[in-house]
Amino acid sequence: MSYFPDFIRQSMMTGGQGGGGSRGGSLDFATPTDNLYAFAKLWSTLDAQPMLSSFHGTMFAMVGNQKLQPLFGYAGIGNFQARIEQDGAVRMRGKETGYFTDLATGDVLETWDNPFTGETVEVYNFLNDRIRGVLGAEMPVYSFGEEGDEPTLMNETSGSTDGGSVPFILPWEFYGDRVHLGWDYTHRYTNPLSPDKYPKASTGKYINPSEHFTFTTSLAELSDRSKPYARYTAGFSRLSPWWPWMMMGQSGVEGVLFGRMTSVKDQGRAEDVPRKILDYTEKHYPQYLEPCDDWDDGGPISTWEAYARDISPEINE
């Protein structure tokens, strides 16, 4: 079975789609090795110093068939670096912040007035300084939650496991010098915040957050092996249950959060980050602007795991 979509394969063979393009010069997008190389340059950098990227946008409440309601902004910084191992695998390391912001001012929120409950709640801004891992010739599978929960295949749109592995081949699309990449994370697993211990923060036994990216980059930059990174702009959307800090567990309001954001990696400079987000990070969490100091193994962590780690249960046994 081939996991390389036919329309992408045809695009490479004919020189692109959407009005012409290029096969990729020095890159063979049909091989895991060159896909790993291209992904490392896109997501981060192969340079000796990490690069900063940033995202910003708005989160909406979706309740029943009501009109979506904007609630707050969502913005943050990524600080990523990669290196190619001798076997062609990519070792990644990085840090990230995710802040919730006031829609009118863009200021990072410390508290938030919940329009559904009338309660003023303390905002839990997400900080993760342990992004580590190795990507190899097979698409990784992540296990979240508890034993028996369905694992998450990295970028599930690349193929189905069908009981086996999926090669690290990505669904690139070519339009002249522009390269597009769709990237998805879809999850469903046992909520780390059990309703019996976190009756207000927990929205139930299971959570199913998902994130979706549409990257656009330059084929010339991606293929140029003298360049350690390729710049990108990306659309970034997110669908999930209510954030734990919103304290919606006993609200009786059945709904979900939808986020629409823009993500950018340009020159990797602090100046590329939205000013208020940069100022807040420099003041409160300057270590997230500094390079990582190890290449250890690690794994992703979500807001729910971080919240359970940092915030004591509402009800103690």
Side-chain angles (χ1 to χ4, degrees):
M1 176 179 179
S2 172
Y3 295 103
F4 205 56
D6 288 341
F7 79 97
I8 301 293
R9 184 185 305 278
Q10 183 66 24
S11 168
M12 292 169 53
M13 293 173 61
T14 60
Q17 61 180 47
S22 168
R23 184 177 182 278
S26 64
L27 295 182
D28 183 354
F29 287 98
T31 67
T33 298
D34 280 4
N35 273 264
L36 287 163
Y37 170 82
F39 181 75
K41 287 182 62 173
L42 182 69
W43 192 269
S44 57
T45 180
L46 296 171
D47 205 350
Q49 292 296 318
M51 291 193 70
L52 297 181
S53 57
S54 66
F55 67 90
H56 64 279
T58 303
M59 288 204 155
F60 301 79
M62 181 186 297
V63 179
N65 63 359
Q66 298 177 23
K67 180 180 178 181
L68 268 66
Q69 175 182 347
L71 295 181
F72 35 71
Y74 188 45
I77 301 172
N79 183 350
F80 299 116
Q81 188 180 13
R83 73 183 186 192
I84 305 295
E85 305 287 63
Q86 289 186 348
D87 61 357
V90 171
R91 182 171 288 275
M92 311 282 289
R93 68 179 183 180
K95 311 174 185 181
E96 62 180 344
T97 66
Y99 304 118
F100 301 92
T101 63
D102 182 85
L103 288 174
T105 66
D107 294 334
V108 175
L109 292 168
E110 303 288 346
T111 61
W112 180 66
D113 296 329
N114 188 327
F116 301 108
T117 65
E119 181 181 9
T120 298
V121 297
E122 184 176 347
V123 174
Y124 178 82
N125 289 304
F126 178 59
L127 304 168
N128 183 11
D129 66 351
R130 297 298 304 168
I131 300 174
R132 305 288 190 276
V134 177
L135 301 176
E138 297 178 356
M139 199 68 69
V141 176
Y142 299 115
S143 294
F144 295 92
E146 300 178 358
E147 185 177 355
D149 286 341
E150 182 180 357
T152 296
L153 175 67
M154 185 175 179
N155 203 34
E156 199 167 52
T157 50
S158 294
S160 172
T161 57
D162 288 336
S165 62
V166 176
F168 198 93
I169 303 291
L170 302 177
W172 308 97
E173 298 178 30
F174 305 89
Y175 301 86
D177 182 57
R178 310 313 296 164
V179 181
H180 295 252
L181 174 64
W183 190 263
D184 304 284
Y185 288 103
T186 58
H187 308 283
R188 183 184 183 272
Y189 58 94
T190 301
N191 193 343
L193 305 172
S194 61
D196 60 330
K197 293 183 179 180
Y198 294 89
K200 295 184 69 175
S202 177
T203 55
K205 183 176 180 180
Y206 295 99
I207 54 174
N208 58 344
S210 67
E211 293 187 336
H212 311 271
F213 302 85
T214 52
F215 293 95
T216 301
T217 188
S218 162
L219 181 60
E221 289 188 8
L222 205 61
S223 305
D224 188 345
R225 293 183 182 271
S226 70
K227 293 182 179 295
Y229 65 89
R231 296 171 293 173
Y232 73 72
T233 57
F236 168 29
S237 58
R238 195 177 195 283
L239 194 66
S240 79
W242 307 121
W243 294 107
W245 58 265
M246 295 172 67
M247 298 297 174
M248 294 289 283
Q250 295 182 337
S251 67
V253 180
E254 296 293 331
V256 296
L257 285 168
F258 168 75
R260 181 269 305 149
M261 283 74 69
T262 298
S263 183
V264 177
K265 185 187 77 177
D266 189 45
Q267 300 297 327
R269 306 165 301 184
E271 292 80 1
D272 297 333
V273 178
R275 187 74 249 176
K276 288 192 174 183
I277 299 303
L278 179 63
D279 289 346
Y280 188 88
T281 305
E282 288 179 334
K283 180 178 180 180
H284 297 279
Y285 307 107
Q287 66 272 28
Y288 281 82
L289 301 173
E290 297 296 326
C292 298
D293 58 7
D294 68 77
W295 289 95
D296 296 340
D297 290 332
I301 184 172
S302 80
T303 301
W304 284 265
E305 283 88 358
Y307 189 97
R309 176 195 64 194
D310 298 339
I311 306 299
S312 299
E314 298 158 27
I315 298 177
N316 293 305
E317 297 179 349

